[in-house]
Amino acid sequence: MLRTEIPAGVSVNAVRWIIRPCIEKDWLYKPVVQTSQIGYHPNQPKIAVIELDDRDTDIQIPVLYKITANGKEEVRKEVAENWGKFLRYNYLRFDFSDIKEEGLYQVCYGNSESAVFRIAYDVYDRGVWQPTLEYFLPVQMCHMWINDKYRVWHDLCHMDDAIMAPVDINHIDGYVQGPSTLTTYKPGDRVPGLNIGGWHDAGDYDLRIESQAGETYILAMAQENFNIDYYDETTVDQLNRITEIHQPDGKPDILQQIENGALTIVAGYQALGRLYRGILCPTVRQYVHLGDASAHTDNCPGNHDDRWVFTEDNPFRELTTAAQLAATSRVLGSFNDTLSHHCLEIARELFRITRVEHEWIKSAKIHAAVELFLTTREKEYKDYVLSEQRYIIDNIDRTGWYIGRFDKAVRDKKLSRALRQALVSVRDNYRMLAQRTPYGVPENRGNTTSGSWDVQTLGYYYCFLQEAYPDIFEPDYILMP
């Protein structure tokens, strides 16, 4: 950081800096060899990406070594494919997909080395998705005290949630409360019942409805598709508001986290008569607080540090949440039947009362109908989806990822035939996106956070497409090297 005191009363040329960089004319960026941080299943594609200074003309031949008790043994040495330039670097791709023997390996390129990685049939069995359930989600839990044996991640927090946000304001984080609270509560009124469930947002302590409902839905889909309710490493006690990491309690961790997400959504809807937009701190000083969550507020309702609750009129978000709650209800049924019932009833009501004023909102209503049908098997929702076949086909890039499960359940020949024809273009688009970077996934040069979301969302959608239509969508995209 450079600092210069600005003289009083000076408005022109008040500060002048001359910066002279030291340039090494012959300096070259050292090659970086990139491999999967997880490792590779023997049957998946395996490609090392080698990142080079775009002025580097001394192209080496990469070598794959196996790490044995006797040291490194050369397994493969061959010229890498020159992928070309991406952003400021040049890239090579070294394909060793046909190597299937289990063991420890390393790729070397000149004086550069990759990290040591495994090729193994059990490479995805541990330390891949499990840390999300073991650490990330428990640590992010709001309205809870989070322990990890002799460590405390954070103490009980935000028990003073929440008061109704003022009207006609634009919050520092972009939340806008219009001229009305859209509820019976007036600005400044305490809204009871909001101090339960939810996870803190990334980098701050907000609770956004799309984050809460979206993560709950992702977990519900993971459970429904992969049956991981055998996994129990954490104690979650919602009654006493204590979570103990690495202390099993005989209950599936994934269902407990689904429950945690559903609790904040249902509590908000029951208290407000509608979905909340967000629950967040009112001041800049609080917003930039990155310490213990329990120090964010004093946990005593009725003073200036209480978080505000915002509402909004957003049909697309309301219908998307209806879809997510319907699926959540399906998964929670045998674990918490009362909460499951509330999720389903809210989903039904949102589907019934939410208007569709614009065509682009319709995809969310179709999604809600799909999940409501899969949960209830009621004709009303089935008929609605079938009546929107033209829209589904015309917007297959947005509807394709969720319509496959409906297609398999209903087996309507006309719909199935039209879907299969339309999904070819979706497959081709994925293939095109895979060519945009040397990593086999697209990139977004705008906001880096949303860019990572875009890549994750593509992979997430593709999983559903590949599961429903394996003859159209090959699995390699999910296992991108």
Side-chain angles (χ1 to χ4, degrees), residues 343-379:
C343 287
L344 181 57
E345 290 309 301
I346 293 171
R348 288 181 187 275
E349 184 170 345
L350 288 172
F351 182 84
R352 184 177 68 254
I353 68 175
T354 305
R355 65 195 184 282
V356 180
E357 295 177 336
H358 305 285
E359 280 291 293
W360 61 272
I361 297 174
K362 191 174 288 184
S363 64
K365 183 152 190 174
I366 296 169
H367 184 197
V370 165
E371 296 297 355
L372 281 164
F373 171 74
L374 293 175
T375 300
T376 67
R377 302 291 165 156
E378 292 175 3
K379 187 175 183 294

Side-chain angles (χ1 to χ4, degrees), residues 229-345:
D229 56 6
Y230 58 85
Y231 200 80
D232 176 23
E233 287 288 329
T234 309
T235 293
V236 178
D237 185 345
Q238 291 285 355
L239 181 62
N240 294 302
R241 300 181 183 272
I242 296 174
T243 293
E244 298 281 355
I245 296 173
H246 289 156
Q247 184 170 312
D249 60 357
K251 299 177 182 178
D253 290 349
I254 192 166
L255 292 177
Q256 289 178 308
Q257 291 300 332
I258 294 169
E259 177 186 60
N260 187 66
L263 283 170
T264 183
I265 305 165
V266 169
Y269 197 90
Q270 291 178 334
L272 296 164
R274 63 183 306 112
L275 299 173
Y276 64 71
R277 169 67 184 95
I279 301 173
L280 59 157
C281 61
T283 66
V284 174
R285 174 60 80 181
Q286 279 177 278
Y287 190 78
V288 298
H289 172 85
L290 295 177
D292 190 319
S294 64
H296 201 230
T297 71
D298 60 8
N299 284 331
C300 299
N303 55 43
H304 68 282
D305 72 359
D306 294 2
R307 291 195 293 189
W308 291 351
V309 55
F310 286 75
T311 59
E312 67 172 349
D313 182 11
N314 190 323
F316 183 85
R317 189 168 284 132
E318 286 153 13
L319 287 166
T320 298
T321 303
Q324 294 161 339
L325 286 175
T328 299
S329 170
R330 194 164 63 242
V331 174
L332 280 178
S334 60
F335 182 74
N336 185 331
D337 56 354
T338 300
L339 187 58
S340 170
H341 171 77
H342 289 317
C343 287
L344 181 57
E345 290 309 301

Side-chain angles (χ1 to χ4, degrees), residues 167-284:
V167 296
D168 290 323
I169 69 156
N170 189 331
H171 184 268
I172 55 173
D173 196 21
Y175 291 75
V176 178
Q177 186 66 51
S180 167
T181 67
L182 304 176
T183 72
T184 58
Y185 294 98
K186 298 177 182 179
D189 284 352
R190 176 167 170 76
V191 181
L194 299 183
N195 56 353
I196 187 169
W199 303 278
H200 298 139
D201 199 5
D204 53 49
Y205 294 112
D206 299 354
L207 302 185
R208 308 188 308 159
I209 189 61
E210 66 268 38
S211 298
Q212 306 305 312
E215 180 60 23
T216 304
Y217 180 66
I218 289 170
L219 291 170
M221 292 294 94
Q223 168 55 24
E224 188 167 73
N225 286 274
F226 301 112
N227 298 314
I228 54 178
D229 56 6
Y230 58 85
Y231 200 80
D232 176 23
E233 287 288 329
T234 309
T235 293
V236 178
D237 185 345
Q238 291 285 355
L239 181 62
N240 294 302
R241 300 181 183 272
I242 296 174
T243 293
E244 298 281 355
I245 296 173
H246 289 156
Q247 184 170 312
D249 60 357
K251 299 177 182 178
D253 290 349
I254 192 166
L255 292 177
Q256 289 178 308
Q257 291 300 332
I258 294 169
E259 177 186 60
N260 187 66
L263 283 170
T264 183
I265 305 165
V266 169
Y269 197 90
Q270 291 178 334
L272 296 164
R274 63 183 306 112
L275 299 173
Y276 64 71
R277 169 67 184 95
I279 301 173
L280 59 157
C281 61
T283 66
V284 174

Side-chain angles (χ1 to χ4, degrees), residues 63-65 73-76 94 96 99 105-107 117:
V63 183
L64 174 68
Y65 291 100
E73 295 182 359
E74 183 176 313
V75 175
R76 166 74 52 78
F94 176 47
F96 54 99
I99 304 300
Y105 292 84
Q106 186 176 43
V107 175
F117 57 88

Side-chain angles (χ1 to χ4, degrees), residues 412-431:
D412 181 89
K413 291 182 179 180
K414 180 182 176 183
L415 176 64
S416 295
R417 185 166 53 252
L419 284 173
R420 287 186 163 276
Q421 292 173 352
L423 285 167
V424 171
S425 66
V426 178
R427 179 201 62 195
D428 293 344
N429 185 54
Y430 270 91
R431 289 176 176 175

